[in-house]
Amino acid sequence: MDKHVDVSLVTDRPPAPVNVTVSHLKANSATVSWDIPEGDIIIGYAISQLRKDGQMQRSIREVNTTNRACVLWDLEEDTEYVIQVQSVGLNGESRASKRVQFRTLKETDWVPSNSSNKGELIN
């Protein structure tokens, strides 16, 4: 009796995102962006968002997109979060990126503005 076993190689998975950064920090939102190593067909992404105290976890998954950024909404002010990003390819998801930690701003935080105003309230 001849059995054939089909084993998918780990190398079939897309590469993990690199250069994951958090920008446009506000009290209730932040923008996550990343780069993808060349050579693989990437059809989307998955983001794991965890509040540092472990009280809330959220997963975001989007396919049929070439976006390399995502706005995280409904965050709590002055709270630490940890995120990781995965590439979604034709053969599944990549390993997770390195963990990135950030803290949202307080509602009352002011930042310098390029305008004539002394500062701009971040919402």
Side-chain angles (χ1 to χ4, degrees), residues 14-18 34-40 42 44 67-68 85-87:
V18 295
W34 60 90
D35 293 323
I36 301 295
E38 293 290 323
D40 280 86
I42 304 300
N67 286 344
R68 300 292 180 256
V85 182
Q86 292 175 278
S87 301

Side-chain angles (χ1 to χ4, degrees), residues 10 15 26 32 41 51 53 63 78 82 91 99 104 109 112:
V10 175
K26 297 184 179 182
V32 180
I41 297 173
R51 213 167 74 182
D53 63 10
V63 293
D78 195 28
V82 177
N91 295 312
R99 295 164 55 101
T104 53
D109 284 345

Side-chain angles (χ1 to χ4, degrees), residues 64-82:
N64 297 325
T65 182
T66 57
N67 286 344
R68 300 292 180 256
C70 177
V71 177
L72 305 177
W73 298 100
D74 297 325
L75 303 178
E76 293 183 28
E77 71 171 307
D78 195 28
T79 302
E80 286 191 35
Y81 289 89
V82 177

Side-chain angles (χ1 to χ4, degrees), residues 1-69:
M1 188 175 234
D2 190 21
K3 289 187 177 182
H4 176 66
V5 178
D6 185 14
V7 179
S8 294
L9 298 174
V10 175
T11 56
D12 288 346
R13 292 166 56 175
V18 295
N19 303 324
V20 177
T21 57
V22 177
S23 60
H24 301 101
L25 273 174
K26 297 184 179 182
N28 303 106
S29 66
T31 300
V32 180
S33 59
W34 60 90
D35 293 323
I36 301 295
E38 293 290 323
D40 280 86
I41 297 173
I42 304 300
I43 61 169
Y45 61 86
I47 298 174
S48 170
Q49 169 191 320
L50 176 66
R51 213 167 74 182
K52 185 102 190 281
D53 63 10
Q55 294 298 310
M56 187 206 61
Q57 183 170 356
R58 181 184 296 163
S59 294
I60 301 166
R61 182 181 166 96
E62 188 166 334
V63 293
N64 297 325
T65 182
T66 57
N67 286 344
R68 300 292 180 256

